[in-house]
mmCIF file with all atom_site columns, all heavy atoms in Angstrom:
data_model
loop_
_atom_site.group_PDB
_atom_site.id
_atom_site.type_symbol
_atom_site.label_atom_id
_atom_site.label_alt_id
_atom_site.label_comp_id
_atom_site.label_asym_id
_atom_site.label_entity_id
_atom_site.label_seq_id
_atom_site.pdbx_PDB_ins_code
_atom_site.Cartn_x
_atom_site.Cartn_y
_atom_site.Cartn_z
_atom_site.occupancy
_atom_site.B_iso_or_equiv
_atom_site.pdbx_formal_charge
_atom_site.auth_seq_id
_atom_site.auth_comp_id
_atom_site.auth_asym_id
_atom_site.auth_atom_id
_atom_site.pdbx_PDB_model_num
ATOM 1  N N   . LYS A 1 181 ? 74.995 110.647 107.348 1.00 88.00 ? 181 LYS A N   1
ATOM 2  C CA  . LYS A 1 181 ? 76.096 109.918 107.998 1.00 88.00 ? 181 LYS A CA  1
ATOM 3  C C   . LYS A 1 181 ? 76.203 110.339 109.463 1.00 88.00 ? 181 LYS A C   1
ATOM 4  O O   . LYS A 1 181 ? 76.568 109.550 110.322 1.00 88.00 ? 181 LYS A O   1
ATOM 5  C CB  . LYS A 1 181 ? 77.419 110.304 107.325 1.00 88.00 ? 181 LYS A CB  1
ATOM 6  C CG  . LYS A 1 181 ? 77.741 109.515 106.087 1.00 88.00 ? 181 LYS A CG  1
ATOM 7  C CD  . LYS A 1 181 ? 79.162 109.861 105.649 1.00 88.00 ? 181 LYS A CD  1
ATOM 8  C CE  . LYS A 1 181 ? 79.157 110.267 104.192 1.00 88.00 ? 181 LYS A CE  1
ATOM 9  N NZ  . LYS A 1 181 ? 80.320 111.019 103.767 1.00 88.00 ? 181 LYS A NZ  1
ATOM 10 N N   . ALA A 1 182 ? 75.883 111.632 109.702 1.00 91.00 ? 182 ALA A N   1
ATOM 11 C CA  . ALA A 1 182 ? 75.964 112.149 111.071 1.00 91.00 ? 182 ALA A CA  1
ATOM 12 C C   . ALA A 1 182 ? 75.063 111.346 111.995 1.00 91.00 ? 182 ALA A C   1
ATOM 13 O O   . ALA A 1 182 ? 75.405 111.097 113.146 1.00 91.00 ? 182 ALA A O   1
ATOM 14 C CB  . ALA A 1 182 ? 75.569 113.624 111.088 1.00 91.00 ? 182 ALA A CB  1
ATOM 15 N N   . GLY A 1 183 ? 73.918 110.916 111.473 1.00 92.00 ? 183 GLY A N   1
ATOM 16 C CA  . GLY A 1 183 ? 72.978 110.134 112.282 1.00 92.00 ? 183 GLY A CA  1
ATOM 17 C C   . GLY A 1 183 ? 73.603 108.845 112.778 1.00 92.00 ? 183 GLY A C   1
ATOM 18 O O   . GLY A 1 183 ? 73.397 108.444 113.922 1.00 92.00 ? 183 GLY A O   1
ATOM 19 N N   . ARG A 1 184 ? 74.408 108.209 111.919 1.00 93.00 ? 184 ARG A N   1
ATOM 20 C CA  . ARG A 1 184 ? 75.051 106.960 112.330 1.00 93.00 ? 184 ARG A CA  1
ATOM 21 C C   . ARG A 1 184 ? 76.108 107.234 113.403 1.00 93.00 ? 184 ARG A C   1
ATOM 22 O O   . ARG A 1 184 ? 76.324 106.415 114.290 1.00 93.00 ? 184 ARG A O   1
ATOM 23 C CB  . ARG A 1 184 ? 75.668 106.254 111.111 1.00 93.00 ? 184 ARG A CB  1
ATOM 24 C CG  . ARG A 1 184 ? 74.583 105.623 110.214 1.00 93.00 ? 184 ARG A CG  1
ATOM 25 C CD  . ARG A 1 184 ? 75.196 104.648 109.242 1.00 93.00 ? 184 ARG A CD  1
ATOM 26 N NE  . ARG A 1 184 ? 75.870 105.362 108.148 1.00 93.00 ? 184 ARG A NE  1
ATOM 27 C CZ  . ARG A 1 184 ? 77.153 105.217 107.821 1.00 93.00 ? 184 ARG A CZ  1
ATOM 28 N NH1 . ARG A 1 184 ? 77.921 104.398 108.498 1.00 93.00 ? 184 ARG A NH1 1
ATOM 29 N NH2 . ARG A 1 184 ? 77.655 105.908 106.817 1.00 93.00 ? 184 ARG A NH2 1
ATOM 30 N N   . SER A 1 185 ? 76.758 108.382 113.317 1.00 96.00 ? 185 SER A N   1
ATOM 31 C CA  . SER A 1 185 ? 77.748 108.719 114.345 1.00 96.00 ? 185 SER A CA  1
ATOM 32 C C   . SER A 1 185 ? 77.075 109.076 115.662 1.00 96.00 ? 185 SER A C   1
ATOM 33 O O   . SER A 1 185 ? 77.598 108.749 116.731 1.00 96.00 ? 185 SER A O   1
ATOM 34 C CB  . SER A 1 185 ? 78.637 109.870 113.870 1.00 96.00 ? 185 SER A CB  1
ATOM 35 O OG  . SER A 1 185 ? 79.449 109.441 112.802 1.00 96.00 ? 185 SER A OG  1
ATOM 36 N N   . VAL A 1 186 ? 75.929 109.743 115.573 1.00 97.00 ? 186 VAL A N   1
ATOM 37 C CA  . VAL A 1 186 ? 75.181 110.112 116.792 1.00 97.00 ? 186 VAL A CA  1
ATOM 38 C C   . VAL A 1 186 ? 74.894 108.877 117.639 1.00 97.00 ? 186 VAL A C   1
ATOM 39 O O   . VAL A 1 186 ? 74.916 108.905 118.857 1.00 97.00 ? 186 VAL A O   1
ATOM 40 C CB  . VAL A 1 186 ? 73.855 110.816 116.423 1.00 97.00 ? 186 VAL A CB  1
ATOM 41 C CG1 . VAL A 1 186 ? 72.865 110.786 117.569 1.00 97.00 ? 186 VAL A CG1 1
ATOM 42 C CG2 . VAL A 1 186 ? 74.112 112.249 116.003 1.00 97.00 ? 186 VAL A CG2 1
ATOM 43 N N   . GLU A 1 187 ? 74.667 107.762 116.935 1.00 95.00 ? 187 GLU A N   1
ATOM 44 C CA  . GLU A 1 187 ? 74.334 106.515 117.623 1.00 95.00 ? 187 GLU A CA  1
ATOM 45 C C   . GLU A 1 187 ? 75.471 105.989 118.483 1.00 95.00 ? 187 GLU A C   1
ATOM 46 O O   . GLU A 1 187 ? 75.232 105.357 119.500 1.00 95.00 ? 187 GLU A O   1
ATOM 47 C CB  . GLU A 1 187 ? 74.039 105.442 116.555 1.00 95.00 ? 187 GLU A CB  1
ATOM 48 C CG  . GLU A 1 187 ? 72.590 105.155 116.375 1.00 95.00 ? 187 GLU A CG  1
ATOM 49 C CD  . GLU A 1 187 ? 72.380 104.010 115.406 1.00 95.00 ? 187 GLU A CD  1
ATOM 50 O OE1 . GLU A 1 187 ? 72.909 104.095 114.268 1.00 95.00 ? 187 GLU A OE1 1
ATOM 51 O OE2 . GLU A 1 187 ? 71.701 103.045 115.787 1.00 95.00 ? 187 GLU A OE2 1
#
Side-chain angles (χ1 to χ4, degrees):
K181 275 188 232 161
R184 287 195 284 123
S185 292
V186 161
E187 256 185 306

